[in-house]
Amino acid sequence: MPITQHWGWVSHLPEPIFPMQSWRASKLQLRSAGGNTCAENLFVIFNAHLDPGSSVELVGCFAVVSPISCAALGDCRPPPHFAHLEDRIEIAHFPETLDPHDPEQHAALITRLHPFDGILAMRERTPFKKETLTALPNLKLLLTTGTRNLALDTAYCAERGIPVAGTASRSSSGGVDSAAQHAWAVILALARHVARDDAALKRGEGLAGVTGRDVGRIAIMGFGMRVVAWSGNLTQETAELQAAACGLPRGSFRAITDKLQFFGQADVVSLHHVLSELSRGIVGRAELAAMRRTALLVNTSRGPLIDETALLETLNAGGVAGAALDVFDTEPLPRDSPWRTTAWGRDGRSEVLLTPHMGYGDEQIHGWYEEVAENLERWLDGTELKTRLN
């Protein structure tokens, strides 16, 4: 419900002003001592004894104020961290992701978000480039999770005066990054066929058989495996610095400059790369074809890093032993997605282990939302945002 707030001044008035005139403006963003808010109707009352065109004496003003409207994107419904702001904001939750790369979905996205003052974005799921932002004239605040989000045009937001803020880097309990924990969980689960055998036992079937020599070797090597790494600008010296940062001796990480050679010699390929327009599809048909048929592919980073069409073809043909995927091109994963409907691990297909983007872990996502709620409150109060991105 709208609430009434009173101001003793406004920054400017329309001209000319006539006696006994009240000025009404629709949907203004006001800034008072209390911070940011939106007024549906602003009434300014002037001295009744002035002639047209004369100076104006402000008697008073009041505003009928509606709460700030925010759109929360993603399948994780905002937790109770926002409860104390219920009288100041209205949050609409949109669990289904619209892809602005598709013209029809882009139009639907603009229609969906057009009325909102603020957007709470979840990671890079929904890119906000200039062409999208220009179609959102009401947008005044853009919040995201994480310390960076290359899917947001922060420079254009700065031109528009729209603050963009993220959340501080955090680890789960014990100081171990939850994404690293999840990566190792799915590597071992895939190597030891945990999901397959669990499903077989629940169906009343016996075990599917003893795992192959290579898969067993990968599981054993989990505590002392040789680590090779590739990135477009990775050097051996950089790899040594990364090893030292982990408390490991020199030579623990070996940089490989040839990408196809890297994919061809790895038993397990685990992706840990920032998503941008440059890195989209960084793993394609050539890289997948270079992998050993006994190899495992793990992606706990971002779905679009891998060419999804090429990956589906490779897995349907049994091109690798298996893939563990925590991330997808479209999240949440549609019910009719081939990732859900294909009989993986049968008729020559590779085994596939799916998890619903849980690499950040419960502790991490709740911590992120706590920071997003704090930033939203700071903006409402007119104070500096934390983890500014522009």
Side-chain angles (χ1 to χ4, degrees), residues 163-236:
V164 182
T167 55
S169 178
R170 61 177 58 247
S171 297
S172 57
S173 59
V176 178
D177 185 271
S178 58
Q181 289 179 334
H182 195 74
W184 274 109
V186 295
I187 288 171
L188 295 175
L190 183 62
R192 301 306 302 171
H193 306 287
V194 171
R196 183 196 67 185
D197 294 343
D198 172 75
L201 286 173
K202 289 175 179 176
R203 291 193 302 265
E205 302 172 3
L207 292 179
V210 180
T211 59
R213 181 185 64 183
D214 287 334
V215 174
R217 179 170 56 85
I218 292 169
I220 294 171
M221 289 173 60
F223 296 97
M225 64 192 307
R226 183 169 56 92
V227 178
V228 295
W230 174 89
S231 182
N233 57 357
L234 181 65
T235 64
Q236 185 58 41

Side-chain angles (χ1 to χ4, degrees), residues 4-312:
T4 301
Q5 295 185 3
H6 297 270
W7 279 264
W9 53 271
V10 290
S11 59
H12 66 280
L13 301 175
E15 294 180 344
I17 299 298
F18 296 95
M20 295 297 294
Q21 180 178 358
S22 292
W23 174 48
R24 175 176 177 172
S26 63
K27 198 63 176 178
L28 295 174
Q29 182 184 12
L30 303 179
R31 190 175 184 88
S32 70
N36 291 288
T37 187
C38 283
E40 293 292 343
N41 297 301
L42 173 66
F43 298 91
V44 183
I45 306 173
F46 310 100
N47 191 303
H49 304 291
L50 298 176
D51 295 325
S54 63
S55 61
V56 176
E57 179 185 356
L58 178 65
V59 176
C61 63
F62 67 92
V64 180
V65 179
S66 294
I68 293 288
S69 60
C70 293
L73 309 183
D75 53 329
C76 295
R77 183 175 294 276
H81 300 297
F82 297 88
H84 67 292
L85 300 175
E86 287 181 350
D87 61 337
R88 304 174 68 184
I89 62 171
E90 292 178 346
I91 297 183
H93 178 227
F94 298 101
E96 294 183 359
T97 299
L98 294 173
D99 183 2
H101 295 96
D102 179 281
E104 291 186 4
Q105 293 189 47
H106 186 235
L109 179 68
I110 291 171
T111 300
R112 170 186 287 181
L113 299 179
H114 189 275
F116 292 96
D117 306 299
I119 294 175
L120 313 181
M122 175 52 68
R123 301 182 294 273
E124 299 94 343
R125 284 187 181 179
T126 304
F128 284 95
K129 301 302 182 182
K130 183 176 180 178
E131 54 266 30
T132 302
L133 295 166
T134 53
L136 302 175
N138 297 315
L139 185 63
K140 305 172 185 68
L141 177 68
L142 182 56
L143 300 178
T144 185
T145 52
T147 56
R148 60 185 172 187
N149 188 335
L150 299 182
L152 309 180
D153 192 336
T154 56
Y156 176 72
C157 286
E159 292 178 13
R160 281 264 306 269
I162 300 171
V164 182
T167 55
S169 178
R170 61 177 58 247
S171 297
S172 57
S173 59
V176 178
D177 185 271
S178 58
Q181 289 179 334
H182 195 74
W184 274 109
V186 295
I187 288 171
L188 295 175
L190 183 62
R192 301 306 302 171
H193 306 287
V194 171
R196 183 196 67 185
D197 294 343
D198 172 75
L201 286 173
K202 289 175 179 176
R203 291 193 302 265
E205 302 172 3
L207 292 179
V210 180
T211 59
R213 181 185 64 183
D214 287 334
V215 174
R217 179 170 56 85
I218 292 169
I220 294 171
M221 289 173 60
F223 296 97
M225 64 192 307
R226 183 169 56 92
V227 178
V228 295
W230 174 89
S231 182
N233 57 357
L234 181 65
T235 64
Q236 185 58 41
E237 185 57 36
T238 304
E240 300 293 4
L241 292 174
Q242 293 295 326
C246 296
L248 298 174
R250 290 182 64 86
S252 295
F253 298 158
R254 183 165 65 90
I256 296 181
T257 57
D258 187 296
K259 186 164 69 162
L260 293 184
Q261 179 187 357
F262 165 78
F263 277 88
Q265 68 176 251
D267 294 305
V268 178
V269 175
S270 184
L271 271 63
H272 304 277
H273 205 291
V274 175
L275 177 64
S276 69
E277 290 306 312
L278 292 177
S279 63
R280 185 178 293 271
I282 198 170
V283 179
R285 284 186 173 84
E287 290 77 21
L288 295 170
M291 294 182 67
R292 301 175 181 179
R293 295 186 69 86
T294 55
L296 305 178
L297 177 64
V298 177
N299 189 5
T300 58
S301 189
R302 295 294 184 267
L305 291 172
I306 305 178
D307 181 334
E308 184 177 59
T309 301
L311 180 58
L312 284 167

